[in-house]
């Protein structure tokens, strides 16, 4: 084999898209946390917070934020710990849960939503630079330009994502502090802030679902990066820090800004606050870190779907599709999309969690030691039950839809397994007798 071929092979396999991450490729808590927080320090999350900030009294907003962030944080932390223990991506975990054909649904729903997220952020970049530089009509140019640039860096995998995150995070923290400080300065005091009246309306169930929806898809795929952690405990801590604390801070900052300045348009808010120059620099780096992870996620999903060890072609095609969707104006559907993500994606993570704990008892056989069924019906039924619980909970404003979707999907796994066992239906994969487990 030539040196060139060897080099290409190493580049192709270094992120292990179709295998377990080996011990020698594991990394520190700092690196994993940096990538995950870089993922959650996401400007459109602030925009979602700004829209919520215009719809509720401030005292009510605090409880909504705590509820949504806690659900998202603990949910993702569990996904992270499973990813680290097994060394597998979320879509490979879905292969165990749903079967080789059933996992394609996970590829579509997780990869597809990440393409939509990439499109939303690419459009956001186009509007940001067009407004910030005073160049109306240049949105499409900036959408295409930044979409290509951000997609290119995603081709270099986990380590390049960590480097970009280290640069962007301190700047994003500074922006969050500045926005929050200026918002408090605008209203004058905490008493004034609590006394302000909302200007729009939104139900509490939708608001919590929107908070969970900001990273329902990305969080369900957090195993993609957490699998590089040294162990499950490290990954759990990293996931909790990123999605409970990091994402919560982003939503809070947007809430306070939106509440104080009475606008749900974050770009308009930045310009109003006189932060145009710094917004262009900081928000660019911020969105860049997230879109690195987003493109990586739909690349991994594509690799699993087509059983190819090279995720690069799927990143490229995903970026092309996302750019077209961005130019078409997907941002107009931002809140409805978040509500959709927060309803139908958490049950998928719930059924993966339930299958891992109740069916496999926290011991998965190695990929090479399993002959996968095309479809496992018990977990599929559990997923559909979880989706129904989340959907009807939202439709009739009963409970917290996203939380219900996760818990009911997870608990439905052993329940449906018991029914299948009573009916003597074998729904398990075939495992070698001398199989190794992780």
């Amino acid at each position: 084999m030539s040196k060139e071929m060897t080099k290409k092979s190493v580049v192709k396999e270094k992120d292990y898209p179709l295998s377990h991450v080996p011990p020698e490729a594991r990394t520190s808590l700092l690196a994993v946390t940096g990538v995950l927080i870089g993922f959650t320090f996401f400007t459109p999350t602030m925009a979602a917070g700004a829209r919520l900030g215009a719809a509720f009294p401030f005292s009510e907003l605090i409880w909504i934020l705590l509820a949504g962030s806690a659900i998202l944080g603990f949910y993702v932390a569990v996904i992270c710990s499973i990813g680290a223990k097994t060394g597998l991506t979320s879509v490979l975990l879905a292969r165990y849960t749903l079967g080789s054909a059933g996992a394609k649904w996970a590829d579509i729903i997780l990869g597809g939503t990440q393409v939509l997220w990439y499109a939303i952020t690419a459009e956001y970049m186009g509007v940001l630079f067009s407004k910030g530089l005073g160049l109306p009509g240049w949105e499409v140019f900036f959408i295409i330009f930044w979409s290509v640039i951000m997609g290119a860096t995603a081709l270099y995998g986990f380590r390049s994502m960590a480097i970009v995150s280290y640069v962007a995070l301190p700047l994003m923290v500074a922006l969050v502090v500045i926005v929050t400080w200026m918002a408090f300065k605008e209203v004058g005091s905490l008493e004034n802030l609590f006394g302000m009246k909302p200007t729009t309306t939104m139900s509490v169930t939708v608001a919590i679902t929107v908070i969970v929806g900001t990273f329902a898809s990305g969080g369900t795929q957090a195993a993609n990066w957490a699998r590089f952690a040294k162990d499950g405990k490290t990954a759990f801590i990293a996931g909790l820090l990123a999605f409970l604390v990091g994402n919560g801070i982003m939503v809070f900052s947007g809430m306070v800004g939106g509440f104080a300045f009475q606008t749900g348009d974050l770009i308009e808010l930045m310009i109003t606050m006189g932060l145009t120059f710094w917004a262009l620099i900081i928000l660019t780096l911020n969105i860049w870190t997230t879109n690195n992870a987003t493109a990586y996620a739909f690349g991994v999903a594509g690799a699993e779907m087509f059983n190819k060890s090279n995720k690069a072609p799927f990143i490229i095609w995903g970026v092309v599709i996302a750019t077209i969707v961005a130019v078409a104006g997907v941002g107009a559907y931002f809140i409805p999309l978040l509500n959709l993500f927060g309803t139908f994606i958490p049950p998928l993570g719930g059924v993966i969690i339930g299958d891992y704990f109740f069916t496999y008892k926290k011991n998965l056989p190695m990929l090479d030691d399993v002959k996968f069924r095309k479809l496992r019906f018990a977990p599929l039924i559990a997923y559909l039950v979880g989706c129904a619980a989340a959907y009807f909970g939202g439709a009739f404003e009963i409970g917290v839809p996203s939380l219900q979707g996760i818990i009911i999907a997870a608990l439905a796994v052993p329940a449906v397994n018991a029914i299948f066992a009573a009916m003597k239906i074998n729904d398990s994969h075939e495992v070698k007798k001398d199989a190794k487990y992780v």
Side-chain angles (χ1 to χ4, degrees):
M1 183 181 292
S2 68
K3 288 184 178 180
E4 183 180 357
M5 286 179 66
T6 302
K7 184 177 179 181
K8 285 182 179 178
S9 178
V10 170
V11 171
K12 183 189 297 185
E13 296 290 347
K14 67 179 180 180
D15 281 320
Y16 314 97
L18 292 181
S19 60
H20 303 269
V21 175
E24 62 270 17
R26 301 303 180 105
T27 188
S28 66
L29 173 64
L30 179 62
V32 176
T33 304
V35 169
L36 290 177
I37 290 184
F39 191 26
T40 61
F41 267 36
F42 182 39
T43 310
T45 300
M46 290 179 71
R51 296 192 189 187
L52 296 181
F56 296 93
F58 191 72
S59 57
E60 195 169 348
L61 278 174
I62 298 300
W63 292 108
I64 290 171
L65 174 63
L66 289 173
S69 296
I71 293 168
L72 183 65
F74 282 97
Y75 163 64
V76 175
V78 173
I79 293 283
C80 285
S81 66
I82 295 173
K85 188 174 185 298
T86 61
L88 295 172
T89 64
S90 295
V91 288
L92 284 179
L93 288 170
R95 187 185 293 182
Y96 283 88
T97 299
L98 298 175
S100 58
K104 306 310 177 190
W105 169 244
D107 297 334
I108 292 169
I109 192 172
L110 295 179
T113 51
Q114 289 303 286
V115 170
L116 284 175
W117 262 122
Y118 195 98
I120 289 169
T121 52
E123 182 184 352
Y124 192 88
M125 288 290 281
V127 175
L128 173 66
F129 273 80
S130 177
K131 283 187 177 181
L133 298 178
L135 296 171
W138 282 63
E139 288 91 347
V140 172
F141 169 79
F142 286 119
I143 286 172
I144 296 171
F145 175 80
W146 283 112
S147 187
V148 171
I149 294 294
M150 292 185 292
T153 57
L155 294 170
Y156 291 93
F158 181 89
R159 298 195 183 281
S160 70
M161 290 163 57
I163 293 169
V164 176
S165 295
Y166 291 151
V167 175
L169 282 177
L171 293 173
M172 199 60 206
V173 170
L175 178 65
V176 167
V177 170
I178 291 169
V179 168
T180 305
W181 176 74
M182 292 187 73
F184 277 109
K185 186 178 178 182
E186 176 71 14
V187 297
S189 68
L190 271 175
E191 185 179 352
N192 291 340
L193 190 64
F194 277 91
M196 293 184 72
K197 303 297 182 183
T199 57
T200 61
T201 59
M202 183 183 297
S203 71
V204 172
T205 55
V206 168
I208 293 175
T209 305
V210 164
I211 293 174
V212 177
T214 56
F215 273 98
S217 176
T220 303
Q221 296 177 85
N224 295 352
W225 307 283
R227 64 198 172 108
F228 288 95
K230 290 180 179 179
D231 52 45
K233 182 179 178 181
T234 298
F236 186 91
I237 293 170
L240 204 59
L241 286 173
F243 287 85
L244 192 156
V245 180
N247 192 65
I249 288 172
M250 292 298 292
V251 177
F252 176 77
S253 178
M255 280 180 174
V256 173
F259 203 82
F261 292 92
Q262 296 298 291
T263 177
D265 186 333
L266 188 64
I267 296 174
E268 180 184 312
L269 174 61
M270 295 294 181
I271 294 172
T272 301
M273 297 172 76
L275 297 174
T276 304
F277 173 75
W278 289 109
L280 287 175
I281 295 173
I282 298 172
L283 298 186
T284 297
L285 284 170
N286 161 253
I287 292 173
W288 200 332
T289 62
T290 301
N291 264 10
N292 261 207
T294 300
Y296 182 95
F298 59 67
V300 166
E304 197 287 328
M305 181 170 225
F306 294 96
N307 202 33
K308 302 290 184 183
S309 59
N310 185 6
K311 66 185 183 302
F314 306 105
I315 289 177
I316 293 168
W317 279 108
V319 168
V320 170
I321 294 169
T323 304
I324 294 170
V325 174
V327 171
V330 68
Y333 306 97
F334 184 46
I335 293 296
L337 281 172
L338 289 185
N339 194 28
L340 195 66
F341 295 170
T343 300
F344 293 104
I345 295 177
L348 177 60
V351 80
I352 290 173
I353 292 169
D355 199 45
Y356 179 74
F357 283 101
F358 296 116
T359 305
Y360 290 104
K361 312 294 185 184
K362 300 191 290 186
N363 286 294
L364 283 188
M366 297 286 285
L367 280 167
D368 292 340
D369 294 332
V370 182
K371 183 178 179 181
F372 288 95
R373 285 179 171 273
K374 292 290 184 183
L375 188 63
R376 287 186 63 213
F377 287 95
L380 177 60
I381 293 170
Y383 169 70
L384 294 175
V385 169
C387 285
Y391 175 77
F392 289 109
F396 296 101
E397 297 189 15
I398 301 171
V400 181
S402 49
L403 179 60
Q404 289 160 197
I406 295 167
I407 294 175
I408 291 178
L411 295 179
V413 170
V416 180
N417 280 343
I419 294 171
F420 272 41
M423 297 173 65
K424 296 183 180 180
I425 298 173
N426 181 12
D427 198 42
S428 302
H429 301 302
E430 186 179 327
V431 181
K432 292 180 181 177
K433 290 183 179 179
D434 57 347
K436 295 180 180 178
Y437 290 80
V438 289

